[in-house]
Amino acid sequence: DGLHADVSLTVSDGTVRIESSYEGIESETITLSGGTVAVTAADDAVNGSGGSPLVTISSGDITLNSGGDSLDSNGSLYVSGGTITVFGPENSGNGMLDCDGVAEITGGTLLGAGASGMNQNFGGSSTQCSILTDLSVRQSAGTTVTVTDSSGAEVASYTPEKDFQCVIISAPELTVGETYTI
């Protein structure tokens, strides 16, 4: 593990760079509330595991590059802020989000691309919109993903570093009833 705690792990400031690990950040309770976090993991990038797992992200600049699940909570996942970029798994047996409990987003920006097959979207308790879509054709690393609204204005854009066939996007600019093009 890049960072491991049995009970609770918090990053609130500074810079955390995990360039190589099996599990990137692992603990029963994980709180990311500031700073810059970059994780490269052969398996899960962020893994809430143990008794009553909880992953909470409220702020920070977070980049996750995983071979397994990118954001994994064997309990609940709450996102209320921050900028999260996910270069998810290329293996369809894993997902960008893998949550056994509540998966809720109420703020922040999440841009992710990875394999299709096992992905989850945020749940109905979320107050911020999110889009999860499987693409009909696998896309190559370096293919830019752009989201525009019905007037053609750009809402989000990013360039995945790995091959992908699924995209997840959540941003404050997304609104219910609007039409978006990816």
Side-chain angles (χ1 to χ4, degrees):
D1 296 344
L3 291 175
H4 180 92
D6 290 338
V7 177
S8 180
L9 190 151
T10 299
V11 176
S12 60
D13 198 2
T15 300
V16 174
R17 178 175 297 280
I18 300 170
E19 295 180 356
S20 178
S21 64
Y22 181 69
E23 298 273 342
I25 297 174
E26 184 175 38
S27 182
E28 182 174 337
T29 300
I30 298 170
T31 303
L32 303 178
S33 61
T36 300
V37 177
V39 177
T40 299
D43 194 28
D44 301 343
V46 172
N47 187 13
S49 62
S52 301
L54 174 63
V55 175
T56 304
I57 301 172
S58 61
S59 184
D61 184 7
I62 301 159
T63 303
L64 306 175
N65 187 330
S66 65
D69 299 324
S70 302
L71 275 172
D72 185 358
S73 179
N74 295 313
S76 294
L77 167 66
Y78 295 96
V79 177
S80 62
T83 300
I84 307 162
T85 305
V86 175
F87 304 115
E90 294 178 293
N91 167 348
S92 289
N94 291 287
M96 292 175 283
L97 296 182
D98 182 8
C99 184
D100 294 342
V102 173
E104 178 181 278
I105 189 163
T106 59
T109 299
L110 184 138
L111 305 171
S116 61
M118 208 182 116
N119 284 300
Q120 297 177 322
N121 201 350
F122 291 98
S125 64
S126 297
T127 58
Q128 179 170 291
C129 295
S130 59
I131 298 168
L132 174 68
T133 186
D134 288 330
L135 307 173
S136 59
V137 177
R138 186 174 178 96
Q139 302 295 309
S140 298
T143 302
T144 299
V145 175
T146 303
V147 179
T148 56
D149 64 18
S150 58
S151 69
E154 185 176 293
V155 175
S157 181
Y158 66 107
T159 304
E161 297 177 351
K162 296 160 60 172
D163 291 355
F164 63 98
Q165 194 167 351
C166 185
V167 173
I168 185 168
I169 297 149
S170 184
E173 297 81 9
L174 297 177
T175 59
V176 173
E178 177 66 70
T179 300
Y180 296 96
T181 302
I182 297 175

